[in-house]
Amino acid sequence: LLATVCRYFMNPISNETLNELIAFLENDSVSAIPEQVVDYYLERTGVVTTDPTVKQIVGLAAQKFISDILGDAKHHYEKRQTALRNASAPDVQPPTQCTLTPEDLSLALRERGINVRKPEYYL
């Protein structure tokens, strides 16, 4: 689903492609972000719309953004694990599951211009 939608967002959209995207959203689309969450954030930012297609596109764009950040965080995790493995014991097998850490997530967000810091009272 996400790959199909990403194909539409990567290039300028012609009217024909836009019609294909709308047809896809009407028939096959299921976003991981609930419509109520999209409604809440659209309303909170001052966007008023009753068009369900607009809400679906915003939800899918948010889903892609989150997916990209998580992919980058996983990449940081893998780099960190490789460095640890090379420094300590190169013959140790890597773990089969990844653990999302605040450090990896913070690095991935920082690459996109989002600075995440702990509040002063947690330091």
Side-chain angles (χ1 to χ4, degrees):
L1 169 69
L2 207 50
T4 304
V5 173
C6 290
R7 186 182 55 179
Y8 291 112
F9 289 118
M10 298 311 249
N11 300 313
I13 297 178
S14 67
N15 285 339
E16 182 180 320
T17 306
L18 184 60
N19 290 334
E20 287 177 20
L21 175 61
I22 291 171
F24 172 76
L25 291 173
E26 289 173 351
N27 297 328
D28 302 329
S29 173
V30 177
S31 177
I33 300 175
E35 188 176 333
Q36 293 84 1
V37 173
V38 174
D39 287 341
Y40 171 78
Y41 283 104
L42 284 175
E43 184 179 308
R44 189 166 175 208
T45 58
V47 177
V48 179
T49 183
T50 57
D51 186 0
T53 306
V54 171
K55 294 176 185 179
Q56 286 178 317
I57 290 173
V58 170
L60 289 172
Q63 180 179 341
K64 180 181 179 341
F65 181 71
I66 292 168
S67 175
D68 289 347
I69 289 172
L70 291 175
D72 291 346
K74 182 179 179 191
H75 177 71
H76 288 293
Y77 169 82
E78 290 168 349
K79 282 188 351 185
R80 188 169 42 85
Q81 290 300 316
T82 301
L84 288 173
R85 213 172 32 253
N86 290 340
S88 61
D91 56 339
V92 175
Q93 292 295 325
T96 57
Q97 292 182 339
C98 295
T99 302
L100 179 64
T101 63
E103 292 80 17
D104 296 330
L105 185 58
S106 177
L107 286 171
L109 288 168
R110 191 173 304 133
E111 287 178 355
R112 297 182 181 275
I114 302 170
N115 189 15
V116 178
R117 295 182 312 162
K118 291 181 182 175
E120 296 281 331
Y121 53 86
Y122 284 120
L123 297 175

